Amino acid sequence: MKRGNRIQLQIDGMSAQGDGVGWHDGREVHVQRAVPGDVVDVVIVRKRKGRLEGREVGVVSPAMERLEAFCRHFDSCGGCRWQHLSYEDQLVLKADMVRLPLMASGIDPGTIAPIVPCDEPTFYRNKMEFSFASGPEGELRLGLHVRGRYNWVFDLIECHLQSPLSNRIVEAARSEAVDRGMPAYDLRSHEGLLRFLVIREGKFTQQVMVNLVVAEYPREDVAAMAAAVCTKIPEITSFVVTQHSGKAQVARGEREFAVVGGDTIVERCGDLDYRISTQSFYQTNSHQVVALYDLVAAQAPPLQDLRVLDLYCGTGGIGLHLADQGARVLGIEQEAAAVEDARRNAAANGLEKVEFRSGRVEELIGDLDDCTFDLVVVDPPRAGLHKNALAALREISPPALLYVSCNPVTLAEDLVELLAAGYVAQSVVPVDMFPQTPHCEVVVRLARSAGGEHIDDWKPASE
């Protein structure tokens, strides 16, 4: 099979990236836009990691109705994957992407609840990272990456994920940079100036932070650009310039300068205010994170004076939410900056029965003086739980465990270990945090079994 060959393909599954998957002559073929049940005409575009990748050029028999994408960048952007499907059909696909690996790990499908939909399937993100680059003629570009091309950036005109305001900020930043002849940073030569533009919004507070990442600062042209953008877009409450002189292509650096306003903004979640800096982790869907945290609280035992260990706690979102309802929380997180944010947010909200420690979860969890907890909450990165963290959980053996996951595949792998350690899965609730994409969160409620029997009532470990 060569690039450019055309085949007809039955789509039988879905990849973790949201592409349809079929088989041809014993080889796996991934097809953009295709969904399980489709029969499609496909042109092979590349071979990658032992599989073929194809582009749908015709639908012989559709399993789901195709819609006209509402974004002009849909064909090239690496972000949204499913704009050509109704939101209802997107939820069906996500539910299957959660259900299938969990069932394969031994989870009873009857414990899997219907997915919690998002009320706002567009303009929901509170953070977007845009990249500067040079085009083929040397022109300055500011936008997002072309799908599958980490070093190709297209000029963004509009994005339907964050807000119309963020689109205005992108246009203002690009025009000001072009007018001043400011060059993009080049990944090959490691020369140039402009690297990233990161926009964060408080959806409930209407506060807006812009973080311009540059290779060199202070510079008069960068300061003038920042001032001009803020003049054009008066909704901006904070403009930060980050100096990043290293070669790594990441939107962080060695020094930060608050050019306009302060170096943080505030977002509200339920009854709590969260102060967010340039590098703070905060769930990207402000409205849906309220539903997620409320779900975690509802799945927990009665929270008053409950002893909770919050692993991979980030900036403390879940732990602070539980502490606000009476729990006593110890949070552990590797990123020191995130722990500082968590401590600051606890103090700002007057929450005293909460403590945060910085370090690797798999190391700190084994050094705790008192390992008696009524509930352990884990919210690990996409790679899932570290093997030593899993071993420590088996040792602590809390009566109640809530696993919050952004990756059903690694979630299923970890559940195999937890079920073998004597836990039973009482409920599985998918929560759609990322419409137009194949990603979602999953909350699994586990209880320690008693002689293999199902536990209906969770009791504090102290009892």
Side-chain angles (χ1 to χ4, degrees):
M1 182 64 63
K2 298 180 180 178
R3 179 178 178 180
N5 286 160
R6 181 165 176 161
I7 60 174
Q8 190 170 102
L9 194 68
Q10 168 77 41
I11 303 299
D12 299 315
M14 181 73 67
S15 73
Q17 291 73 39
D19 296 330
V21 177
W23 291 83
H24 181 78
D25 288 342
R27 299 193 68 175
E28 191 175 279
V29 185
H30 290 213
V31 184
Q32 299 176 27
R33 298 197 180 195
V35 301
D38 280 347
V39 177
V40 292
D41 287 330
V42 176
V43 169
I44 302 301
V45 295
R46 66 174 62 88
K47 297 179 182 179
R48 178 178 292 179
K49 297 180 180 178
R51 67 171 187 259
L52 300 173
E53 295 186 2
R55 175 170 51 86
E56 175 192 291
V57 293
V59 181
V60 178
S61 175
M64 292 179 171
E65 180 184 5
R66 299 306 200 265
L67 304 178
E68 187 72 26
F70 46 78
C71 179
R72 70 181 72 193
H73 303 302
F74 179 60
D75 286 332
S76 56
C77 183
C80 297
R81 297 292 179 95
W82 288 350
Q83 282 189 17
H84 63 305
L85 302 173
S86 71
Y87 185 53
E88 292 72 22
D89 282 343
Q90 292 181 31
L91 293 179
V92 170
L93 293 176
K94 290 192 185 192
D96 280 346
M97 292 177 72
V98 171
R99 179 178 56 85
L100 294 176
L102 294 186
M103 287 177 59
S105 74
I107 298 295
D108 180 353
T111 66
I112 304 176
I115 190 169
V116 178
C118 181
D119 291 336
E120 300 182 11
T122 58
F123 298 129
Y124 60 86
R125 288 186 65 96
N126 56 40
K127 177 186 177 184
M128 289 284 286
E129 182 179 299
F130 304 96
S131 298
F132 289 96
S134 296
E137 305 300 323
E139 75 278 11
L140 180 74
R141 291 183 174 182
L142 174 58
L144 299 170
H145 288 266
V146 175
R147 179 175 181 178
R149 302 284 185 174
Y150 78 95
N151 58 342
W152 288 15
V153 172
F154 65 87
D155 249 342
L156 182 85
I157 306 303
E158 60 179 356
C159 176
H160 292 262
L161 290 190
Q162 188 167 30
S163 70
L165 173 61
S166 72
N167 293 330
R168 290 170 48 211
I169 294 172
V170 168
E171 172 55 32
R174 179 170 47 231
S175 64
E176 292 297 332
V178 169
D179 289 347
R180 289 172 171 76
M182 301 166 72
Y185 182 81
D186 187 274
L187 289 176
R188 293 185 176 88
S189 67
H190 300 293
E191 297 176 346
L193 177 63
L194 302 175
R195 306 187 73 154
F196 297 97
L197 185 79
V198 185
I199 303 172
R200 306 192 75 148
E201 297 181 82
K203 295 291 188 180
F204 290 101
T205 64
Q206 283 72 58
Q207 295 187 20
V208 180
M209 170 188 285
V210 176
N211 180 22
L212 178 65
V213 183
V214 297
E216 180 185 346
Y217 195 78
R219 285 177 57 125
E220 290 186 4
D221 53 352
V222 174
M225 173 188 170
V229 170
C230 289
T231 299
K232 285 184 176 180
I233 314 291
E235 294 94 332
I236 296 173
T237 54
S238 171
F239 198 112
V240 176
V241 176
T242 296
Q243 178 191 358
H244 173 30
S245 58
K247 294 182 179 180
Q249 189 65 347
V250 293
R252 60 175 62 195
E254 53 268 25
R255 298 180 68 190
E256 292 184 356
F257 303 83
V259 178
V260 174
D263 58 359
T264 62
I265 60 172
V266 174
E267 178 60 304
R268 190 152 186 84
C269 180
D271 296 328
L272 302 179
D273 289 330
Y274 290 82
R275 192 163 295 276
I276 299 171
S277 63
T278 61
Q279 300 305 321
S280 295
F281 171 79
Y282 189 78
Q283 287 280 359
T284 55
N285 190 329
S286 291
H287 288 88
Q288 196 71 338
V289 75
V290 178
L292 177 66
Y293 290 174
D294 283 346
L295 173 64
V296 170
Q299 293 287 314
L303 289 167
Q304 189 61 44
D305 290 325
L306 196 77
R307 292 203 62 201
V308 178
L309 178 62
D310 183 12
L311 302 180
Y312 307 94
C313 66
T315 53
I318 291 176
L320 294 175
H321 198 77
L322 299 181
D324 187 48
Q325 300 183 47
R328 293 177 291 160
V329 179
L330 170 61
I332 297 177
E333 165 60 40
Q334 179 177 338
E335 291 290 336
V339 169
E340 287 304 311
D341 282 339
R343 291 170 176 164
R344 181 171 52 186
N345 287 323
N349 287 283
L351 299 175
E352 298 179 352
K353 295 191 297 183
V354 59
E355 177 189 353
F356 296 100
R357 299 181 188 177
S358 175
R360 294 181 180 274
V361 166
E362 60 271 18
E363 295 174 357
L364 290 190
I365 193 174
D367 294 332
L368 297 176
D369 294 331
D370 184 356
C371 294
T372 305
F373 294 95
D374 304 313
L375 169 67
V376 174
V377 179
V378 297
D379 187 4
R382 291 191 61 81
L385 293 170
H386 190 280
K387 63 179 182 179
N388 291 341
L390 264 172
L393 281 176
R394 290 194 295 266
E395 183 70 22
I396 293 174
S397 190
L401 178 64
L402 289 174
Y403 193 133
V404 183
S405 172
C406 59
N407 186 343
V409 175
T410 54
L411 168 63
E413 294 170 355
D414 288 342
L415 288 179
V416 169
E417 299 292 330
L418 292 170
L419 295 178
Y423 283 88
V424 292
Q426 296 186 316
S427 69
V428 177
V429 187
V431 182
D432 185 21
M433 304 285 289
F434 316 103
Q436 319 307 328
T437 79
H439 306 295
C440 74
E441 297 281 315
V442 186
V443 179
V444 181
R445 166 176 158 155
L446 298 124
R448 191 175 58 214
S449 63
E453 296 299 321
H454 185 85
I455 297 177
D456 293 317
D457 297 320
W458 292 356
K459 297 180 180 180
S462 57
E463 295 185 10

